[in-house]
Amino acid sequence: MKKTPLALLLTLGLLNIPLSAFAVTAPLDLVGPVSDYKIYVTEKLDELARHTQQFTDAVKKGDLATAQKLYAPTRVYYESIEPIAELFSDLDASIDSRVDDHEQGVKAEDFTGFHRIEYSLFAENSTKGLDALADRLNKDVQDLQTRVAGLTFPPEKVVGGAAALLEEVATTKISGEEDRYSHTDLYDFQGNIDGAKKIVDLFRPHIEQQDKAFVAKVDKNFATVDKILAKYRTADGGFETYDKVKDNDRKALVGPVNTLAEDLSMMRGKLGLN
């Protein structure tokens, strides 16, 4: 059984509980992939913070074209680590809530974050009145960084996050409701897919010990989804707007995405985390 140095565990915030209790919370052979996942999340959060600063700077300068261009490539970092971000429900609501979550709609005082700014940038084609919202978004992202740094990652949440990311795609991405003003859903879609793949890859050796056929099936469905997404890649590495995705491709995504979500929901059981 591979051992991970105690100093590394302490550095990663994985031993905020007594070592004697750790075997109860996580099988020791899962400590490696869980710690690697925390490193991955931390790196994505660093990128999110950097890109959010650039995005909000453009908003506050009144540079509409740049703000519109940076919106989707910034959000993709949040989407890739959403299962961890959602552990902090107050920040998730502040950073990523949609208009549907607010009774008073787009003018609700508590409607903040990416989607509120998205509304002004893409529905109103304006940066006016967004300074406070831009500052709040920056602060919330930095707060998220701080909280995650001190978080002990629950193994069952990490492994369960793979299915949660695919369920997110199935429920809000394929319908096009998430980025309804900018139609940049494919960026979010890719972020969710990448985040789920990372979790699968980190735990791959452990799952293959239990069920190689399961891993092969998951890989095949990931490849199917990737092939469809590749059709809508742009020269700059981004994506076409979602309104350009043909109906038959939307329908073609439903099967593999739902199957992936169902399969990945079984990962916890295969790793003894249920």
Side-chain angles (χ1 to χ4, degrees):
M1 183 181 293
K2 183 180 178 181
K3 303 288 185 179
T4 301
L6 179 60
L8 175 60
L9 300 181
L10 291 168
T11 300
L12 293 169
L14 288 167
L15 286 185
N16 292 345
I17 53 176
L19 183 59
S20 60
F22 192 71
V24 178
T25 21
L28 285 178
D29 61 349
L30 296 185
V31 169
V34 170
S35 62
D36 287 344
Y37 184 65
K38 182 163 187 177
I39 292 170
Y40 167 79
V41 170
T42 300
E43 290 172 347
K44 291 296 181 183
L45 278 172
D46 288 345
E47 289 296 314
L48 175 65
R50 184 170 68 84
H51 282 79
T52 299
Q53 184 68 63
Q54 294 172 352
F55 170 63
T56 54
D57 282 350
V59 170
K60 293 177 70 173
K61 288 176 183 175
D63 187 345
L64 178 63
T66 299
Q68 289 177 330
K69 182 179 179 181
L70 294 178
Y71 169 76
T74 298
R75 263 181 55 76
V76 73
Y77 295 103
Y78 189 84
E79 292 293 324
S80 66
I81 53 103
E82 204 159 16
I84 298 301
E86 287 179 346
L87 293 176
F88 305 100
S89 58
D90 59 328
L91 285 179
D92 184 53
S94 182
I95 292 171
D96 200 44
S97 66
R98 301 198 306 269
V99 66
D100 315 75
D101 302 320
H102 305 273
E103 288 185 12
Q104 296 179 10
V106 294
K107 300 304 180 184
E109 288 187 8
D110 60 346
F111 184 23
T112 59
F114 280 113
H115 292 304
R116 174 59 185 85
I117 296 174
E118 177 201 6
Y119 170 76
S120 289
L121 296 181
F122 294 92
E124 297 184 317
N125 286 302
S126 174
T127 59
K128 292 181 180 178
L130 295 180
D131 283 15
L133 287 166
D135 289 341
R136 171 72 179 272
L137 179 58
N138 254 322
K139 179 180 179 297
D140 286 339
V141 168
Q142 291 164 10
D143 191 2
L144 182 60
Q145 280 186 292
T146 301
R147 293 198 206 179
V148 168
L151 176 69
T152 298
F153 277 36
E156 66 278 5
K157 292 289 186 183
V158 173
V159 175
L165 282 162
L166 270 298
E167 288 163 5
E168 175 90 0
V169 172
T171 56
T172 68
K173 301 298 187 295
I174 292 178
S175 66
E177 67 186 76
E178 174 113 359
D179 292 299
R180 65 193 68 184
Y181 311 117
S182 61
H183 305 297
T184 55
D185 303 86
L186 289 179
Y187 286 85
D188 291 1
F189 201 126
Q190 190 68 63
N192 290 157
I193 294 292
D194 289 347
K197 274 184 181 176
K198 184 65 177 182
I199 294 169
V200 171
D201 286 344
L202 288 174
F203 290 89
R204 178 180 297 273
H206 302 81
I207 303 169
E208 284 183 333
Q209 289 177 11
Q210 308 297 323
D211 193 341
K212 285 188 176 181
F214 170 82
V215 176
K217 182 185 177 187
V218 167
D219 287 343
K220 183 178 179 181
N221 277 307
F222 269 127
T224 299
V225 173
D226 283 341
K227 186 175 180 180
I228 296 172
L229 286 178
K231 294 166 64 174
Y232 296 95
R233 282 279 187 185
T234 53
D236 63 359
F239 287 99
E240 300 278 3
T241 53
Y242 195 58
D243 52 340
K244 294 181 181 177
V245 177
K246 297 175 182 177
D247 285 342
N248 61 332
D249 278 340
R250 294 191 189 197
K251 291 175 183 176
L253 286 167
V254 172
V257 168
N258 282 329
T259 300
L260 274 170
E262 291 170 6
D263 284 347
L264 297 185
S265 70
M266 299 167 59
M267 281 176 53
R268 284 188 302 184
K270 291 183 181 297
L271 293 169
L273 293 171
N274 277 345

